[in-house]
Amino acid sequence: MTLSEAGPDTEVAEAQTPAPFPETQGREKGYDKAAVDSFLAEAREAFEADAADASLTSGDVRRAGFPLVRHGYVIAAVDAALGRIEDAFAARERERALSRAGARAWVGRSRDLGQEVLDRLSRPPAHRFDRVGALRYGYRIDEVDIVADKLAAYLESGEPLTVEQVRTVAFRMQRGGYREVQVDAVLDAVVEVMLAIG
């Protein structure tokens, strides 16, 4: 149907269809709308397919990244939606694992991952992760160590901590700082443990 065939009512309806997320204004950058829309369509299809061998996992949702552009979707709004989607995938994965392997195996796997992370976080401050070269930028060591202490307290003694706090943690950069990929992997593992135990 062409625009002229659609008629004015259809044109108005399409023009009034709200964007799924607010858009950035002025010079502020946001997530590329086409990339976000494509990923969300893929996630919806994967979730509705409800296949045991899902093509998309909660980990895939957690690691999703999008190019930054002007007039893109507001980052915080998309990230909040991705958090809810990740929670839904994680809950379904937990249910399937419990029915397949049983609660004891699922808890054991989660405990092993938690212990592996705790071992890393229990290293001495300033030595918990590899560092980048002296001329390169990595995460600020003191900031990562503060967060590492909070994560360790959560894993070791159940100190209060939410998944959202871990998901939204951010660090400034410094020369010779901690290697980003290692820190991010540990944060991902903590989120995985938290979602696994529900």
Side-chain angles (χ1 to χ4, degrees):
M1 175 182 342
T2 66
L3 201 53
S4 58
E5 292 171 333
D9 291 341
T10 307
E11 288 179 49
V12 170
E14 288 176 355
Q16 291 177 342
T17 302
F21 302 103
E23 296 178 14
T24 58
Q25 303 296 317
R27 295 180 182 268
E28 183 186 1
K29 290 190 175 182
Y31 288 143
D32 179 84
K33 293 187 277 189
V36 171
D37 291 343
S38 174
F39 182 81
L40 293 179
E42 179 187 351
R44 184 180 305 109
E45 184 178 319
F47 195 80
E48 289 173 356
D50 199 26
D53 56 343
S55 59
L56 199 68
T57 67
S58 60
D60 296 327
V61 176
R62 183 169 52 254
R63 290 184 289 273
F66 310 103
L68 294 176
V69 297
R70 287 177 64 184
H71 305 295
Y73 288 140
V74 171
I75 292 170
V78 175
D79 286 349
L82 289 175
R84 293 189 296 273
I85 293 167
E86 180 188 355
D87 291 346
F89 273 88
R92 188 167 71 183
E93 290 162 9
R94 182 171 57 247
E95 288 171 16
R96 285 191 178 144
L98 286 170
S99 66
R100 245 190 347 257
R104 183 171 296 190
W106 179 252
V107 169
R109 180 188 166 280
S110 300
R111 185 175 33 237
D112 290 346
L113 179 58
Q115 186 60 54
E116 184 180 332
V117 172
L118 184 58
D119 291 344
R120 162 74 72 169
L121 299 177
S122 298
R123 295 177 181 180
H127 297 284
R128 291 178 169 141
F129 300 94
D130 291 343
R131 295 194 191 187
V132 297
L135 299 179
R136 296 183 56 211
Y137 283 91
Y139 287 147
R140 275 193 59 150
I141 293 166
D142 59 339
E143 293 179 358
V144 173
D145 282 343
I146 289 169
V147 171
D149 289 339
K150 291 180 181 179
L151 297 176
Y154 166 79
L155 292 169
E156 201 165 35
S157 57
E159 290 292 319
L161 187 68
T162 67
V163 173
E164 212 48 47
Q165 288 173 309
V166 181
R167 281 182 180 141
T168 57
V169 71
F171 306 107
R172 290 177 291 176
M173 306 296 279
Q174 74 173 74
R175 287 187 190 272
Y178 280 143
R179 193 173 299 280
E180 294 173 59
V181 67
Q182 286 189 341
V183 176
D184 290 345
V186 166
L187 293 173
D188 279 353
V190 171
V191 169
E192 187 175 333
V193 169
M194 294 174 91
L195 292 176
I197 61 179

